[in-house]
């Protein structure tokens, strides 16, 4: 039963990636991560022509921030933000930003995300009055990656790039983190860095044949 559910959700996501998308109905992938704020206990030793920069392994923990990334793999656009929490309300606020500010003229946004309990239309009704929640929900078409199948989310690729290019060093405050995220986001958007997803449903039926349940008829 679990295998059938995994395959069904996987093929739904793969079909979405190979479907046609327009400005009126864009494809957006979103993902979340946690980032630990850290401060140096001792000042790092600057780099010199004869030596690399040296950083002590001791650090002070300054809390954790929740990262939200929304990525349009075809347009090469992304938005990344940090929040104090990653609750249903936080997700709902991010989705409203996506629909009302980032894509205000889109008739419907096709959103690919992980199947977390916060990623649900109910979160909109928890955060906003029913009239607002209903308006947002009508413009949102959610497609969930299967459990243990987060690798199917293109936003995870972009989140990995963010980790390598921006978050591979100690950042001590939420303000500094927001500044670094904004700089990275703007640079990536200027270059319109895209992702070309090539793994299709037909490929999955061949290369991941072992995941498919045996049909009864």
């Amino acid at each position: 039963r679990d295998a059938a559910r995994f395959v069904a959700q996987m093929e739904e996501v793969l079909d979405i990636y190979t479907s046609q998308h327009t400005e009126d109905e864009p494809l957006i992938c979103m993902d979340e991560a946690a980032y630990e704020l850290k401060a140096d206990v001792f000042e790092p030793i600057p780099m010199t022509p004869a030596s690399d920069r040296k950083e002590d392994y001791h650090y002070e923990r300054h809390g954790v921030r929740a990262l939200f990334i929304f990525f349009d793999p075809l347009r090469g656009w992304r938005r990344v933000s940090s929040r104090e929490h990653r609750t249903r309300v936080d997700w709902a606020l991010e989705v409203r930003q996506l629909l009302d500010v980032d894509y205000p003229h889109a008739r419907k946004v096709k959103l690919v995300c992980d199947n977390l309990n916060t990623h649900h239309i109910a979160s909109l009704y928890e955060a906003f009055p029913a009239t607002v929640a209903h308006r947002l929900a009508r413009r949102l078409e959610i497609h969930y990656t299967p459990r243990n199948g987060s690798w199917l989310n293109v936003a995870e690729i972009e989140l990995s790039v963010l980790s390598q290019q921006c978050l591979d060093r100690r950042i001590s405050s939420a303000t500094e983190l927001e500044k670094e995220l904004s700089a990275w986001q703007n640079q990536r958007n200027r270059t319109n860095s895209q992702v070309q997803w090539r793994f299709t449903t037909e490929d999955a039926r061949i290369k991941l044949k072992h995941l498919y349940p045996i049909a009864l008829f």
Side-chain angles (χ1 to χ4, degrees), residues 185-200:
Q185 167 189 296
N186 293 338
Q187 188 278 329
R188 291 283 286 176
N189 284 341
R190 279 195 300 270
T191 59
N192 297 115
S193 301
Q194 304 173 355
V195 169
Q196 301 296 327
W197 185 270
R198 301 186 184 279
F199 190 67
T200 66

Side-chain angles (χ1 to χ4, degrees), residues 5-120:
R5 183 180 295 109
F6 182 96
V7 166
Q9 289 184 284
M10 175 181 68
E11 291 203 349
E12 178 185 342
V13 171
L14 293 177
D15 285 348
I16 282 293
Y17 288 157
T18 56
S19 299
Q20 292 296 317
H21 307 289
T22 64
E23 291 184 2
D24 196 42
E25 295 188 1
L27 169 67
I28 303 295
C29 304
M30 72 84 53
D31 202 1
E32 298 179 25
Y35 182 77
E36 186 177 29
L37 300 174
K38 302 175 181 178
D40 293 312
V41 176
F42 304 103
E43 285 295 322
I45 300 175
M47 179 178 63
T48 66
S51 159
D52 293 333
R53 181 178 186 270
K54 294 179 175 59
E55 185 178 81
D56 191 89
Y57 66 90
H58 290 98
Y59 63 87
E60 293 179 343
R61 189 171 179 271
H62 284 194
V64 177
R65 300 289 293 180
L67 303 183
F68 292 82
I69 188 167
F70 291 83
F71 179 44
D72 185 332
L74 302 180
R75 178 183 164 202
W77 169 91
R78 75 277 296 139
R79 175 173 60 81
V80 58
S81 59
S82 77
R83 290 182 173 272
E84 188 175 357
H85 305 290
R86 50 193 301 186
T87 65
R88 289 189 177 195
V89 172
D90 290 294
W91 183 80
L93 290 170
E94 291 290 336
V95 167
R96 184 174 65 175
Q97 168 85 7
L98 174 71
L99 295 173
D100 286 351
V101 179
D102 300 328
Y103 287 83
H105 304 299
R107 185 186 71 83
K108 179 177 291 185
V109 169
K110 291 173 278 190
L111 183 68
V112 174
C113 59
D114 296 345
N115 197 356
L116 302 180
N117 63 350
T118 54
H119 299 168
H120 196 277

Side-chain angles (χ1 to χ4, degrees), residues 2 13 15 72 131 158 184 207 213:
D2 286 339
V13 171
D15 285 348
D72 185 332
T131 53
E158 192 66 10
W184 176 85
K207 298 179 181 180

